[in-house]
Amino acid sequence: MNTKKPLEEFISNIKECLESEDYEKATKILLDALDVYPNQPSLLINLGNIYKYLGSYGQAENYYKKSLEIENLKEANNNLSVIYLEKNSIDESISFAKKALELDPYYVDAYFNLSLAYEKSGDYENTKEILKKILQIHNDYPNALILLYRIYQNTCDWEKMKSIENKINEITEMGIEHPFMNISRSENIEMNYKVATSWAKKNLIPFRNQPKKQSSQKNKKVRLGYICGEFRNHPTFHLIKNLFKSHDTKKFEVYIFSFNHDEETKIKLKKNKCEFYDITQKSDSESIDIINNCNLDILIDLSVVISNNRINILKSKPAKKIISYLGFPGTSGCKHYDYLLTDKIVTPTDHQPFYTEKLLFLPNCYQINDGKSNFSKTTENRKQHQLPENSIVLASFNQSFKLDSVMFNCWLEILKELDDSVLWLLEDNEIAKKFLHQYVEKNNIDSERLIFAKRIDRKIHLERIKLANVILDTRIYNGHTTTIDALQSGVPVVTKTGNHFASRVSSSLLLSLGLDELCCNNLKDYKQKVIDVCTNKKTMARIFNKLTDKKNYEEIHDNKVFAKKLEKILIKTIV
């Protein structure tokens, strides 16, 4: 007599597989269970969860929708909200989060996904409203506090930031705060390390998809791969775009694994002497197979833990050595990276205990750029950008989350001392613009001296930079691409050297050009240096002559030279 295997037994077997992280076996048992119990939505939802975890978002979406055909459950709607958020389909994400909330008006997870969708769309007002609802239901809900802090940070609402900062500091080791947020708000490297390792432990469950065993056969050339999700109009691409063609093809075979790129950039990259693989539509498992088949010696991850990452691929260790570079200025907290490519300015050797990766030092500045100078006279004029013709223009084109009250107060002190000066900032969002205008007025400075620069085409932006007298660097999270943009355009940048990677990048760039006098140890010196650069003709002439020495700049930042130095240290990692 045939008897059906009880559902509870299937569920018990599935739990055992999930606890041992055997997702392949769990998937097989779920499919077997669905053959016997095809109308069990919980089985479909769990199958969708596994596919989501494995990076197969299309499959996950399919099973969540199948479950809704059987029963309209809040969990399936909420999970679809997450899927569409990952796919950057914001309207769909909002729609499914709201459907989940119709089924359960107190469903905190759905409220949180709704807030994430609003935040991703730049709708900060709605985000704050939803977060306040969450905190009414669940006082001190940690995820909501973290996101609320980020909103306050992005909108320069520093007073409210400070009001919840102590609560945020109390939960640094819960694995909820993202490492990126932490390095943007604190230069305490011990805290950065604790947050990163806690986050990795909580969020990055070991990926047990068994990779194909790599060939033990030694490659004739070093097989070097790059994986990245930012090959488009993004700082990472602008920095690294000329490196790939600079590698020595007699010694290296270069492979690029790209996702979320635009087609124009893809065409440009495929013209390089390298193998290009588009893994945008490939699942993590499929991508791992593709990379394994390339038998790489080294795989450099250019995204690391920032939002567009494929970290499951890296966790499977699909190359002999895995290296973190460029995308994230700090420790990932992850164990699968063998090295972090860096220099001794951004990460002094005594910082090693605060990195899970072994520090791999380049001899000069770690940050690659396109190697080109842009010292010609600007094609733009001040009138085009609402700047007073004869005033001193102090500029910062960093995103609003990098601004903080301590440094902004220093900038205002400079404005007060330089009567004929204006402050030129990037227009990031309307709320930040409003708060900054109010902040300036509270400090008895005419708000008309605060001028905002709209986001424009990059080529025009690189020309308008030259309209500034000096670039004011941010304190906790320096300008990285924005600093090199200014230096390439012949505009001096004044920085305060901080305590962690993100607050030392501008110093590394300046020191590479011999501009150590623009690196300050405290805000008093920072303020005086800015004033000196703006008012002392001898100082300005000295700095400008050093900065705009085209031969010197292009020798120091020559991509062929950079590639040669990089290759030399990469080879040492695999011998």
Side-chain angles (χ1 to χ4, degrees), residues 176-209:
I176 296 170
E177 181 179 5
H178 193 280
F180 183 86
M181 187 175 115
N182 190 256
I183 64 166
S184 72
R185 73 180 186 89
S186 172
E187 55 182 318
N188 182 320
I189 55 173
E190 185 175 358
M191 179 191 283
N192 300 154
Y193 176 77
K194 286 179 179 177
V195 167
T197 51
S198 299
W199 188 85
K201 187 177 180 180
K202 181 179 175 66
N203 296 280
L204 303 179
I205 303 165
F207 191 73
R208 293 296 179 89
N209 181 75

mmCIF file of all heavy atoms in Angstrom, residues 176-209:
data_model
loop_
_atom_site.group_PDB
_atom_site.id
_atom_site.type_symbol
_atom_site.label_atom_id
_atom_site.label_comp_id
_atom_site.label_asym_id
_atom_site.label_seq_id
_atom_site.Cartn_x
_atom_site.Cartn_y
_atom_site.Cartn_z
ATOM 1 N N ILE A 176 24.037 44.580 12.013
ATOM 2 C CA ILE A 176 22.961 45.255 11.277
ATOM 3 C C ILE A 176 23.485 46.463 10.512
ATOM 4 O O ILE A 176 23.089 46.706 9.378
ATOM 5 C CB ILE A 176 21.829 45.674 12.240
ATOM 6 C CG1 ILE A 176 21.195 44.420 12.851
ATOM 7 C CG2 ILE A 176 20.768 46.517 11.529
ATOM 8 C CD1 ILE A 176 20.244 44.696 13.979
ATOM 9 N N GLU A 177 24.388 47.215 11.124
ATOM 10 C CA GLU A 177 24.954 48.375 10.432
ATOM 11 C C GLU A 177 25.889 47.899 9.320
ATOM 12 O O GLU A 177 26.760 47.068 9.534
ATOM 13 C CB GLU A 177 25.715 49.265 11.406
ATOM 14 C CG GLU A 177 26.297 50.507 10.741
ATOM 15 C CD GLU A 177 27.053 51.424 11.696
ATOM 16 O OE1 GLU A 177 27.224 51.056 12.874
ATOM 17 O OE2 GLU A 177 27.477 52.506 11.249
ATOM 18 N N HIS A 178 25.697 48.453 8.132
ATOM 19 C CA HIS A 178 26.545 48.076 7.002
ATOM 20 C C HIS A 178 27.926 48.723 7.164
ATOM 21 O O HIS A 178 28.035 49.868 7.619
ATOM 22 C CB HIS A 178 25.911 48.535 5.687
ATOM 23 C CG HIS A 178 26.551 47.930 4.479
ATOM 24 N ND1 HIS A 178 27.735 48.406 3.957
ATOM 25 C CD2 HIS A 178 26.189 46.889 3.683
ATOM 26 C CE1 HIS A 178 28.076 47.677 2.898
ATOM 27 N NE2 HIS A 178 27.150 46.747 2.713
ATOM 28 N N PRO A 179 28.996 48.010 6.800
ATOM 29 C CA PRO A 179 30.341 48.579 6.922
ATOM 30 C C PRO A 179 30.504 49.920 6.215
ATOM 31 O O PRO A 179 31.243 50.788 6.680
ATOM 32 C CB PRO A 179 31.235 47.510 6.273
ATOM 33 C CG PRO A 179 30.470 46.238 6.415
ATOM 34 C CD PRO A 179 29.025 46.610 6.329
ATOM 35 N N PHE A 180 29.808 50.091 5.083
ATOM 36 C CA PHE A 180 29.920 51.354 4.341
ATOM 37 C C PHE A 180 29.407 52.521 5.170
ATOM 38 O O PHE A 180 30.029 53.594 5.203
ATOM 39 C CB PHE A 180 29.144 51.273 3.015
ATOM 40 C CG PHE A 180 29.283 52.506 2.165
ATOM 41 C CD1 PHE A 180 30.364 52.644 1.300
ATOM 42 C CD2 PHE A 180 28.349 53.532 2.232
ATOM 43 C CE1 PHE A 180 30.501 53.790 0.514
ATOM 44 C CE2 PHE A 180 28.483 54.676 1.456
ATOM 45 C CZ PHE A 180 29.566 54.796 0.591
ATOM 46 N N MET A 181 28.283 52.340 5.825
ATOM 47 C CA MET A 181 27.755 53.420 6.654
ATOM 48 C C MET A 181 28.705 53.736 7.796
ATOM 49 O O MET A 181 28.931 54.893 8.137
ATOM 50 C CB MET A 181 26.369 53.082 7.201
ATOM 51 C CG MET A 181 25.734 54.266 7.936
ATOM 52 S SD MET A 181 24.039 53.956 8.468
ATOM 53 C CE MET A 181 24.256 54.027 10.241
ATOM 54 N N ASN A 182 29.291 52.692 8.377
ATOM 55 C CA ASN A 182 30.153 52.919 9.530
ATOM 56 C C ASN A 182 31.407 53.703 9.161
ATOM 57 O O ASN A 182 31.799 54.625 9.877
ATOM 58 C CB ASN A 182 30.529 51.598 10.193
ATOM 59 C CG ASN A 182 31.209 51.825 11.524
ATOM 60 O OD1 ASN A 182 32.413 51.686 11.650
ATOM 61 N ND2 ASN A 182 30.436 52.208 12.534
ATOM 62 N N ILE A 183 32.037 53.360 8.036
ATOM 63 C CA ILE A 183 33.242 54.109 7.667
ATOM 64 C C ILE A 183 32.908 55.531 7.235
ATOM 65 O O ILE A 183 33.783 56.404 7.239
ATOM 66 C CB ILE A 183 34.060 53.409 6.548
ATOM 67 C CG1 ILE A 183 33.261 53.330 5.246
ATOM 68 C CG2 ILE A 183 34.545 52.049 7.009
ATOM 69 C CD1 ILE A 183 34.101 52.965 4.037
ATOM 70 N N SER A 184 31.638 55.785 6.901
ATOM 71 C CA SER A 184 31.250 57.145 6.504
ATOM 72 C C SER A 184 30.892 58.014 7.705
ATOM 73 O O SER A 184 30.786 59.232 7.574
ATOM 74 C CB SER A 184 30.067 57.103 5.533
ATOM 75 O OG SER A 184 28.875 56.732 6.195
ATOM 76 N N ARG A 185 30.738 57.385 8.876
ATOM 77 C CA ARG A 185 30.374 58.176 10.053
ATOM 78 C C ARG A 185 31.424 58.133 11.160
ATOM 79 O O ARG A 185 31.385 58.922 12.097
ATOM 80 C CB ARG A 185 29.022 57.726 10.610
ATOM 81 C CG ARG A 185 29.006 56.381 11.326
ATOM 82 C CD ARG A 185 27.623 56.032 11.842
ATOM 83 N NE ARG A 185 27.634 54.815 12.654
ATOM 84 C CZ ARG A 185 27.846 54.786 13.959
ATOM 85 N NH1 ARG A 185 28.080 55.908 14.624
ATOM 86 N NH2 ARG A 185 27.840 53.650 14.620
ATOM 87 N N SER A 186 32.381 57.195 11.050
ATOM 88 C CA SER A 186 33.390 57.078 12.096
ATOM 89 C C SER A 186 34.742 56.679 11.511
ATOM 90 O O SER A 186 34.820 55.776 10.675
ATOM 91 C CB SER A 186 32.976 56.032 13.126
ATOM 92 O OG SER A 186 34.025 55.791 14.046
ATOM 93 N N GLU A 187 35.802 57.367 11.962
ATOM 94 C CA GLU A 187 37.154 57.010 11.524
ATOM 95 C C GLU A 187 37.878 56.179 12.580
ATOM 96 O O GLU A 187 39.097 56.027 12.555
ATOM 97 C CB GLU A 187 37.957 58.259 11.161
ATOM 98 C CG GLU A 187 38.031 59.308 12.236
ATOM 99 C CD GLU A 187 38.812 60.545 11.803
ATOM 100 O OE1 GLU A 187 39.869 60.392 11.152
ATOM 101 O OE2 GLU A 187 38.372 61.658 12.116
ATOM 102 N N ASN A 188 37.101 55.608 13.496
ATOM 103 C CA ASN A 188 37.638 54.718 14.523
ATOM 104 C C ASN A 188 37.831 53.336 13.901
ATOM 105 O O ASN A 188 36.860 52.609 13.665
ATOM 106 C CB ASN A 188 36.670 54.656 15.707
ATOM 107 C CG ASN A 188 37.174 53.782 16.837
ATOM 108 O OD1 ASN A 188 37.749 52.728 16.617
ATOM 109 N ND2 ASN A 188 36.935 54.216 18.057
ATOM 110 N N ILE A 189 39.087 52.968 13.613
ATOM 111 C CA ILE A 189 39.328 51.729 12.867
ATOM 112 C C ILE A 189 38.934 50.481 13.646
ATOM 113 O O ILE A 189 38.566 49.462 13.062
ATOM 114 C CB ILE A 189 40.794 51.623 12.377
ATOM 115 C CG1 ILE A 189 41.791 51.756 13.528
ATOM 116 C CG2 ILE A 189 41.069 52.627 11.294
ATOM 117 C CD1 ILE A 189 43.230 51.500 13.112
ATOM 118 N N GLU A 190 38.970 50.564 14.969
ATOM 119 C CA GLU A 190 38.544 49.412 15.769
ATOM 120 C C GLU A 190 37.043 49.200 15.631
ATOM 121 O O GLU A 190 36.574 48.071 15.461
ATOM 122 C CB GLU A 190 38.920 49.621 17.245
ATOM 123 C CG GLU A 190 38.614 48.405 18.103
ATOM 124 C CD GLU A 190 39.088 48.552 19.542
ATOM 125 O OE1 GLU A 190 39.696 49.587 19.880
ATOM 126 O OE2 GLU A 190 38.836 47.617 20.326
ATOM 127 N N MET A 191 36.283 50.309 15.659
ATOM 128 C CA MET A 191 34.833 50.205 15.452
ATOM 129 C C MET A 191 34.533 49.736 14.035
ATOM 130 O O MET A 191 33.659 48.870 13.818
ATOM 131 C CB MET A 191 34.141 51.550 15.701
ATOM 132 C CG MET A 191 32.632 51.491 15.479
ATOM 133 S SD MET A 191 31.816 53.105 15.452
ATOM 134 C CE MET A 191 31.778 53.480 17.189
ATOM 135 N N ASN A 192 35.235 50.285 13.045
ATOM 136 C CA ASN A 192 35.034 49.874 11.655
ATOM 137 C C ASN A 192 35.203 48.361 11.506
ATOM 138 O O ASN A 192 34.415 47.692 10.827
ATOM 139 C CB ASN A 192 36.049 50.561 10.733
ATOM 140 C CG ASN A 192 36.001 52.076 10.728
ATOM 141 O OD1 ASN A 192 36.997 52.725 10.442
ATOM 142 N ND2 ASN A 192 34.862 52.665 11.053
ATOM 143 N N TYR A 193 36.234 47.840 12.166
ATOM 144 C CA TYR A 193 36.539 46.398 12.095
ATOM 145 C C TYR A 193 35.422 45.576 12.752
ATOM 146 O O TYR A 193 34.968 44.568 12.195
ATOM 147 C CB TYR A 193 37.878 46.132 12.781
ATOM 148 C CG TYR A 193 38.259 44.677 12.868
ATOM 149 C CD1 TYR A 193 38.753 44.001 11.755
ATOM 150 C CD2 TYR A 193 38.135 43.972 14.070
ATOM 151 C CE1 TYR A 193 39.113 42.661 11.829
ATOM 152 C CE2 TYR A 193 38.494 42.632 14.151
ATOM 153 C CZ TYR A 193 38.978 41.982 13.030
ATOM 154 O OH TYR A 193 39.331 40.654 13.108
ATOM 155 N N LYS A 194 34.969 46.005 13.926
ATOM 156 C CA LYS A 194 33.917 45.272 14.637
ATOM 157 C C LYS A 194 32.623 45.254 13.840
ATOM 158 O O LYS A 194 31.941 44.225 13.754
ATOM 159 C CB LYS A 194 33.683 45.894 16.018
ATOM 160 C CG LYS A 194 34.785 45.598 17.029
ATOM 161 C CD LYS A 194 34.502 46.266 18.369
ATOM 162 C CE LYS A 194 35.587 45.942 19.386
ATOM 163 N NZ LYS A 194 35.360 46.640 20.678
ATOM 164 N N VAL A 195 32.288 46.396 13.250
ATOM 165 C CA VAL A 195 31.060 46.475 12.449
ATOM 166 C C VAL A 195 31.177 45.569 11.223
ATOM 167 O O VAL A 195 30.249 44.813 10.899
ATOM 168 C CB VAL A 195 30.771 47.932 12.027
ATOM 169 C CG1 VAL A 195 29.699 47.984 10.939
ATOM 170 C CG2 VAL A 195 30.317 48.751 13.235
ATOM 171 N N ALA A 196 32.311 45.633 10.538
ATOM 172 C CA ALA A 196 32.486 44.842 9.315
ATOM 173 C C ALA A 196 32.449 43.343 9.597
ATOM 174 O O ALA A 196 31.777 42.575 8.894
ATOM 175 C CB ALA A 196 33.798 45.216 8.631
ATOM 176 N N THR A 197 33.162 42.905 10.637
ATOM 177 C CA THR A 197 33.192 41.466 10.939
ATOM 178 C C THR A 197 31.835 40.978 11.457
ATOM 179 O O THR A 197 31.412 39.868 11.137
ATOM 180 C CB THR A 197 34.300 41.138 11.958
ATOM 181 O OG1 THR A 197 34.187 42.013 13.092
ATOM 182 C CG2 THR A 197 35.679 41.317 11.338
ATOM 183 N N SER A 198 31.154 41.823 12.229
ATOM 184 C CA SER A 198 29.814 41.449 12.725
ATOM 185 C C SER A 198 28.831 41.351 11.572
ATOM 186 O O SER A 198 28.008 40.433 11.508
ATOM 187 C CB SER A 198 29.318 42.485 13.746
ATOM 188 O OG SER A 198 30.175 42.543 14.856
ATOM 189 N N TRP A 199 28.926 42.313 10.651
ATOM 190 C CA TRP A 199 28.017 42.320 9.501
ATOM 191 C C TRP A 199 28.261 41.093 8.618
ATOM 192 O O TRP A 199 27.311 40.433 8.183
ATOM 193 C CB TRP A 199 28.210 43.602 8.700
ATOM 194 C CG TRP A 199 27.183 43.779 7.623
ATOM 195 C CD1 TRP A 199 25.936 44.321 7.743
ATOM 196 C CD2 TRP A 199 27.319 43.380 6.256
ATOM 197 N NE1 TRP A 199 25.286 44.287 6.531
ATOM 198 C CE2 TRP A 199 26.108 43.716 5.605
ATOM 199 C CE3 TRP A 199 28.338 42.786 5.523
ATOM 200 C CZ2 TRP A 199 25.902 43.473 4.255
ATOM 201 C CZ3 TRP A 199 28.128 42.528 4.166
ATOM 202 C CH2 TRP A 199 26.919 42.877 3.547
ATOM 203 N N ALA A 200 29.527 40.784 8.389
ATOM 204 C CA ALA A 200 29.854 39.623 7.559
ATOM 205 C C ALA A 200 29.356 38.329 8.205
ATOM 206 O O ALA A 200 28.804 37.454 7.541
ATOM 207 C CB ALA A 200 31.365 39.557 7.327
ATOM 208 N N LYS A 201 29.551 38.224 9.511
ATOM 209 C CA LYS A 201 29.132 37.013 10.229
ATOM 210 C C LYS A 201 27.621 36.826 10.173
ATOM 211 O O LYS A 201 27.127 35.704 9.988
ATOM 212 C CB LYS A 201 29.583 37.106 11.686
ATOM 213 C CG LYS A 201 29.342 35.842 12.493
ATOM 214 C CD LYS A 201 29.891 35.982 13.908
ATOM 215 C CE LYS A 201 29.662 34.721 14.728
ATOM 216 N NZ LYS A 201 30.187 34.856 16.102
ATOM 217 N N LYS A 202 26.870 37.914 10.282
ATOM 218 C CA LYS A 202 25.407 37.824 10.313
ATOM 219 C C LYS A 202 24.799 37.675 8.917
ATOM 220 O O LYS A 202 23.836 36.937 8.725
ATOM 221 C CB LYS A 202 24.815 39.074 10.981
ATOM 222 C CG LYS A 202 23.292 39.076 11.078
ATOM 223 C CD LYS A 202 22.783 40.324 11.767
ATOM 224 C CE LYS A 202 21.263 40.402 11.771
ATOM 225 N NZ LYS A 202 20.637 39.358 12.576
ATOM 226 N N ASN A 203 25.385 38.376 7.940
ATOM 227 C CA ASN A 203 24.741 38.475 6.630
ATOM 228 C C ASN A 203 25.342 37.598 5.553
ATOM 229 O O ASN A 203 24.676 37.311 4.560
ATOM 230 C CB ASN A 203 24.772 39.934 6.157
ATOM 231 C CG ASN A 203 23.959 40.842 7.061
ATOM 232 O OD1 ASN A 203 22.746 40.908 6.949
ATOM 233 N ND2 ASN A 203 24.634 41.529 7.973
ATOM 234 N N LEU A 204 26.589 37.202 5.724
ATOM 235 C CA LEU A 204 27.248 36.444 4.671
ATOM 236 C C LEU A 204 27.460 34.996 5.099
ATOM 237 O O LEU A 204 28.530 34.587 5.493
ATOM 238 C CB LEU A 204 28.585 37.094 4.301
ATOM 239 C CG LEU A 204 28.483 38.559 3.863
ATOM 240 C CD1 LEU A 204 29.855 39.103 3.546
ATOM 241 C CD2 LEU A 204 27.555 38.725 2.665
ATOM 242 N N ILE A 205 26.379 34.226 5.046
ATOM 243 C CA ILE A 205 26.437 32.805 5.384
ATOM 244 C C ILE A 205 27.345 32.107 4.370
ATOM 245 O O ILE A 205 27.270 32.397 3.180
ATOM 246 C CB ILE A 205 25.022 32.183 5.352
ATOM 247 C CG1 ILE A 205 24.098 32.941 6.304
ATOM 248 C CG2 ILE A 205 25.052 30.714 5.687
ATOM 249 C CD1 ILE A 205 22.635 32.667 6.103
ATOM 250 N N PRO A 206 28.226 31.218 4.802
ATOM 251 C CA PRO A 206 29.132 30.548 3.861
ATOM 252 C C PRO A 206 28.381 29.951 2.679
ATOM 253 O O PRO A 206 27.361 29.289 2.846
ATOM 254 C CB PRO A 206 29.784 29.449 4.715
ATOM 255 C CG PRO A 206 29.726 29.984 6.107
ATOM 256 C CD PRO A 206 28.437 30.752 6.192
ATOM 257 N N PHE A 207 28.878 30.216 1.499
ATOM 258 C CA PHE A 207 28.228 29.746 0.278
ATOM 259 C C PHE A 207 28.772 28.372 -0.056
ATOM 260 O O PHE A 207 29.924 28.223 -0.445
ATOM 261 C CB PHE A 207 28.515 30.734 -0.856
ATOM 262 C CG PHE A 207 27.684 30.499 -2.082
ATOM 263 C CD1 PHE A 207 26.341 30.821 -2.077
ATOM 264 C CD2 PHE A 207 28.236 29.974 -3.229
ATOM 265 C CE1 PHE A 207 25.566 30.625 -3.212
ATOM 266 C CE2 PHE A 207 27.473 29.773 -4.356
ATOM 267 C CZ PHE A 207 26.134 30.103 -4.346
ATOM 268 N N ARG A 208 27.926 27.358 0.096
ATOM 269 C CA ARG A 208 28.401 25.983 -0.031
ATOM 270 C C ARG A 208 28.134 25.371 -1.413
ATOM 271 O O ARG A 208 28.202 24.181 -1.564
ATOM 272 C CB ARG A 208 27.737 25.119 1.043
ATOM 273 C CG ARG A 208 28.180 25.484 2.444
ATOM 274 C CD ARG A 208 29.665 25.231 2.654
ATOM 275 N NE ARG A 208 30.094 25.594 3.993
ATOM 276 C CZ ARG A 208 30.080 24.774 5.034
ATOM 277 N NH1 ARG A 208 29.631 23.551 4.889
ATOM 278 N NH2 ARG A 208 30.504 25.182 6.210
ATOM 279 N N ASN A 209 27.807 26.225 -2.374
ATOM 280 C CA ASN A 209 27.706 25.686 -3.724
ATOM 281 C C ASN A 209 29.102 25.192 -4.116
ATOM 282 O O ASN A 209 30.035 25.962 -4.216
ATOM 283 C CB ASN A 209 27.256 26.781 -4.693
ATOM 284 C CG ASN A 209 27.107 26.275 -6.102
ATOM 285 O OD1 ASN A 209 26.162 25.590 -6.416
ATOM 286 N ND2 ASN A 209 28.050 26.645 -6.949
#
